[in-house]
């Protein structure tokens, strides 16, 4: 039975879609059967899938994608769970009934967050919601700047709020945006780049926590 994981956070622009795409590529290239669900009305992940089809060819993108009404998430997941090792849900930046449905339907929730005060403020309520649903959410710090004192301060505050934080972090790198715009992941370009290593570490840490 496939594992369902969600990248969720009410904070916009925290890296949900970037992580969804890059982890999907990582696992697909590692030989797993992977599906993605774009649950965000902005449809950024759907755009990425379309660009990926243009780049690699309609049948050769290595990842299945589904768009369905989130109100029917449980029935829809039931239909496809057997076909995949992993189903990745890219959540909308909100705390709505849809988001709650996504959290409930997921085996595990990962919460991308930038280490900034504003991001922290928007992330804490979402963590509360995920914890209430007994999902034991794990934060993945994204766009981390090297040697920024702010990052350490944010980590302390998150820990104080009882959050679990992944050891793996993603740093701020243009390659994440560049590859996304052409339907690719950083792993597609090279598996030895710094960005690729960060995604490999994050992917492995996610697997260890499922
Ligand atoms: N580590 C990174 N380094 C550089 N740019 C990044 C990184 N992570 C994300 N970005 C860029 O930041 C922007 C927001 O990222 P992304 O779309 O993944 O966030 P999101 O949480 O899905 O946003 P939304 O809430 O709007 O759906 C995008 O332009 C993306 O390319
Ligand atoms: Mg998004």
């Amino acid at each position: 039975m496939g594992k369902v994981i969600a990248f969720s956070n009410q904070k916009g622009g925290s890296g949900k879609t970037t992580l969804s795409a890059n982890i999907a590529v990582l696992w697909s290239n590692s030989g797993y059967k992977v599906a993605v669900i774009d649950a965000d009305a902005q449809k950024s992940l759907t755009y990425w899938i379309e660009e990926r089809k243009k780049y690699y060819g309609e049948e050769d993108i290595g990842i299945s994608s589904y768009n369905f009404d989130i109100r029917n998430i449980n029935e829809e997941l039931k239909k496809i769970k057997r076909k995949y090792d992993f189903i990745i849900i890219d959540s909308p930046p909100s705390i709505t009934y849809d988001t709650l449905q996504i959290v409930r339907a997921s085996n595990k929730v990962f919460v991308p967050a930038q280490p900034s005060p504003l991001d922290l403020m928007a992330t804490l309520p979402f963590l509360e919601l995920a914890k209430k649903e007994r999902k034991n959410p794990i934060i993945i710090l994204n766009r981390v700047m090297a040697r920024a004192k702010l990052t350490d301060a944010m980590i302390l505050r998150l820990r104080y709020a009882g959050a679990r934080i992944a050891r793996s972090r993603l740093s701020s790198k243009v390659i994440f945006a560049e590859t996304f715009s052409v339907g690719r992941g950083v792993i597609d370009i090279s598996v030895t780049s710094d960005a690729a290593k960060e995604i490999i570490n994050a992917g492995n840490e996610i697997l260890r926590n499922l």
Side-chain angles (χ1 to χ4, degrees):
M1 209 50 132
K3 292 271 188 194
V4 180
I5 75 159
F7 289 107
S8 281
N9 190 346
Q10 109 182 77
K11 180 75 183 85
S14 56
K16 300 175 286 292
T17 307
T18 302
L19 266 158
S20 299
N22 277 285
I23 296 295
V25 169
L26 171 71
W27 288 344
S28 158
N29 288 10
S30 308
Y32 291 113
K33 291 199 184 97
V34 181
V36 292
I37 295 170
D38 188 352
D40 185 1
Q42 295 177 100
K43 293 292 160 215
S44 315
L45 195 63
T46 304
Y47 160 83
W48 177 78
I49 287 281
E50 291 310 315
E51 291 303 306
R52 192 165 180 80
K53 285 178 183 165
K54 284 183 211 159
Y55 195 95
Y56 289 104
E58 192 83 24
E59 304 296 326
D60 297 317
I61 63 167
I63 298 161
S64 304
S65 80
Y66 293 89
N67 272 297
F68 49 68
D69 190 336
I70 293 301
R71 283 174 294 185
N72 306 326
I73 191 166
N74 290 320
E75 299 86 82
E76 298 288 347
L77 282 174
K78 221 178 258 170
K79 282 190 226 158
I80 61 170
K81 251 185 180 175
R82 284 178 194 286
K83 293 206 273 179
Y84 300 100
D85 298 304
F86 300 108
I87 298 167
I88 297 171
I89 307 178
D90 179 18
S91 299
S94 55
I95 300 194
T96 57
Y97 186 65
D98 277 6
T99 320
L100 185 61
Q101 292 295 94
I102 293 167
V103 168
R104 285 183 176 155
S106 303
N107 294 102
K108 193 91 190 176
V109 177
F110 295 89
V111 184
Q114 292 189 42
S116 85
L118 280 178
D119 285 62
L120 185 77
M121 247 163 55
T123 302
L124 291 176
F126 180 76
L127 287 173
E128 279 310 308
L129 173 130
K131 273 200 266 178
K132 250 188 218 144
E133 295 298 320
R134 301 180 184 284
K135 291 299 171 180
N136 208 358
I138 298 179
I139 295 176
I140 300 180
L141 293 176
N142 183 27
R143 303 194 84 157
V144 176
M145 305 278 203
R147 291 181 296 281
K149 284 210 179 70
L150 188 59
T151 305
D152 295 334
M154 289 299 121
I155 288 173
L156 276 179
R157 288 178 64 178
L158 283 165
R159 290 233 171 92
Y160 185 71
R164 287 184 67 191
I165 306 169
R167 292 163 73 98
S168 333
R169 301 166 176 187
L170 305 191
S171 48
S172 198
K173 287 194 168 54
V174 181
I175 190 171
F176 284 111
E178 281 173 350
T179 46
F180 189 89
S181 65
V182 291
R184 304 183 80 192
V186 295
I187 294 287
D188 289 317
I189 311 278
S190 152
V191 290
T192 54
S193 69
D194 288 344
K197 283 180 198 156
E198 290 178 355
I199 288 296
I200 292 168
N201 288 339
N204 288 341
E205 191 167 353
I206 291 170
L207 290 183
R208 287 198 301 276
N209 280 287
L210 287 182

